Amino acid sequence: MRARTLTLAAAAGAALLSTAAFPALAGPAPTHSAGHASPSVKEGSVSASALLAKVQNCSQISNGKYRTDEETSATIPVCGANGAVFWKADMDIDCDGKVTSQCNGDTDPWFQDDTAFHTSNDQPLTASSLPYVVVPSVSGTWNYQSAGIKGGGVVAVIYNNKVEYAVVGDTGPTAIIGEASYATASALGIDPDPETGGAESGVTYILFKNSQVSPIENHSAAVTLGNKLAQQFVNGG
């Protein structure tokens, strides 16, 4: 994960306006494993509205709040609800991990060829094809591990009435929140360009506690488990 500046955030805003007018310019959609939905169709059977209805109020579990970018103020709490944790933030694009045509040192000024969590054969994750989410590294503000969140844990990512299931795949700065892989952004119709893409706001991340997809790279398994946990989440108290 990188700490984007307001200058880049402004560029992302301009890019989003451009892609809103010309959707075909958003960039090529990544190829996912079987079970991946197209950007216009939600994954699983639980609607975005049903999930969002359960996260309207925040019971803060973090000791403080996070920034969305390097130069913004800390306004984003981590909240707890019914077997999950969640936050509402922006989306910066993480292209770290395996080198691909979409994610490499030329396309991403902050590119790193590794991720905090690895595949079943101990390789970095592939950001261009695997939907994953970045969590803040452990700090006094919040410890994701103590909250029951682990590598490969299932995340429901919601944006513009779309639901995409992802896994916890990487860790980032201790003070910044709101980042997901190239593939996550693309599936949600967000410009996945690691330098100028992303979403300024309106992204909800719901992480299901004590869940884990094995192997972590199996997106179909993430969708199946995510849909089951999302049903439990919306049917809970």
Side-chain angles (χ1 to χ4, degrees):
M1 179 178 183
R2 73 294 323 273
R4 301 174 71 199
T5 65
L6 289 178
T7 300
L8 288 177
L16 287 173
L17 289 174
S18 174
T19 54
F22 305 99
L25 299 181
T31 300
H32 294 318
S33 57
H36 176 72
S38 69
S40 61
V41 180
K42 74 176 184 296
E43 291 190 318
S45 61
V46 181
S47 68
S49 59
L51 286 165
L52 292 175
K54 290 293 184 177
V55 295
Q56 290 183 353
N57 301 313
C58 175
S59 175
Q60 184 171 330
I61 61 172
S62 55
N63 294 323
K65 296 181 179 181
Y66 288 93
R67 304 194 301 267
T68 56
D69 291 296
E70 194 172 52
E71 298 172 10
T72 59
S73 57
T75 60
I76 309 298
V78 177
C79 313
N82 191 27
V85 303
F86 71 91
W87 55 83
K88 301 177 182 181
D90 65 344
M91 182 184 287
D92 293 339
I93 308 302
D94 190 335
C95 240
D96 293 342
K98 184 178 178 180
V99 174
T100 63
S101 59
Q102 298 95 340
C103 295
N104 55 69
D106 293 327
T107 62
D108 182 1
W110 308 274
F111 180 76
Q112 300 178 41
D113 61 359
D114 201 3
T115 50
F117 306 106
H118 286 181
T119 65
S120 54
N121 59 348
D122 199 27
Q123 296 298 306
L125 304 182
T126 305
S128 60
S129 62
L130 180 68
Y132 71 72
V133 164
V134 180
V135 296
S137 294
V138 173
S139 72
T141 302
W142 183 55
N143 184 331
Y144 70 89
Q145 297 169 332
S146 298
I149 305 303
K150 61 188 75 175
V154 182
V155 187
V157 188
I158 306 159
Y159 178 76
N160 196 23
N161 204 36
K162 300 182 182 73
V163 179
E164 174 71 9
Y165 290 107
V167 291
V168 175
D170 205 359
T171 58
T174 57
I176 297 176
I177 206 166
E179 186 171 9
S181 68
Y182 181 109
T184 310
S186 183
L188 289 168
I190 295 171
D191 181 359
D193 187 291
E195 186 169 7
T196 61
E200 289 295 288
S201 61
V203 184
T204 299
Y205 304 81
I206 304 175
L207 292 73
F208 299 107
K209 297 172 68 172
N210 301 312
S211 64
Q212 190 169 37
V213 174
S214 183
I216 191 173
E217 65 269 25
N218 189 334
H219 181 63
S220 295
V223 174
T224 299
L225 180 57
N227 190 61
K228 176 183 177 181
L229 294 173
Q231 289 174 335
Q232 294 175 357
F233 183 70
V234 300
N235 291 331

